[in-house]
Amino acid sequence: KMKWQPFYLTTVSGIAENHNRRSLSIRDIFSASDSNPILKICISNYMVDIHWLINECPIFLTVPTLCMHGSTQPTQISLDNINICRVDMGAERYGTHHSKFAIIFYQSGVRICITTANFIPE
């Protein structure tokens, strides 16, 4: 069982394992258990590859999700539980303020994840 701590780093691939101590992968961030299921998810990021996110975290196939993104690239998915909306975050690709976060509502509480990474595979 994962021990809850107030601050984690994001797991980085391609580096020594000892540098990933106290880190969470994208799968860890969106993890749940039978005794503490995820009820709904809200994510916001400039770039979101929803197909990659679903592949990494199959929980997105079943949990009601609001996905807000700033990309001008069309994002299409035909799942009734995922509501995708584009938010105007400014015309500049770089140098534009945009929040990158996930709010995960569990049966027993809320996890708030503030990240510096886009929800994309690169």
Side-chain angles (χ1 to χ4, degrees):
K1 182 173 174 162
M2 182 171 47
K3 180 181 174 187
W4 291 88
Q5 298 176 9
F7 180 81
Y8 292 97
L9 297 173
T10 304
T11 302
V12 177
S13 60
I15 65 172
E17 188 60 36
N18 64 321
H19 295 301
N20 278 324
R21 272 183 281 165
R22 291 198 64 210
S23 68
L24 294 177
S25 69
I26 192 80
R27 288 183 181 129
D28 295 330
I29 291 168
F30 294 102
S31 65
S33 65
D34 290 338
S35 62
N36 192 25
I38 294 175
L39 304 177
K40 56 187 166 184
I41 298 171
C42 174
I43 60 174
S44 175
N45 212 313
Y46 193 85
M47 298 172 71
V48 177
D49 181 337
I50 196 69
H51 300 285
W52 171 80
L53 201 54
I54 289 169
N55 188 56
E56 291 294 311
C57 309
I59 192 80
F60 283 100
L61 289 170
T62 57
V63 172
T65 301
L66 172 61
C67 172
M68 300 172 286
H69 70 89
S71 176
T72 57
Q73 301 298 318
T75 303
Q76 296 178 348
I77 192 153
S78 57
L79 291 173
D80 291 336
N81 65 302
I82 298 178
N83 183 9
I84 297 175
C85 62
R86 184 182 179 284
V87 178
D88 186 0
M89 296 184 184
E92 300 296 322
R93 181 178 167 113
Y94 300 101
T96 300
H97 171 77
H98 56 282
S99 299
K100 297 178 180 182
F101 66 83
I103 304 172
I104 306 152
F105 298 88
Y106 290 87
Q107 185 172 334
S108 68
V110 175
R111 172 182 280 176
I112 299 173
C113 173
I114 309 299
T115 181
T116 59
N118 289 300
F119 293 130
I120 60 174
E122 295 87 32

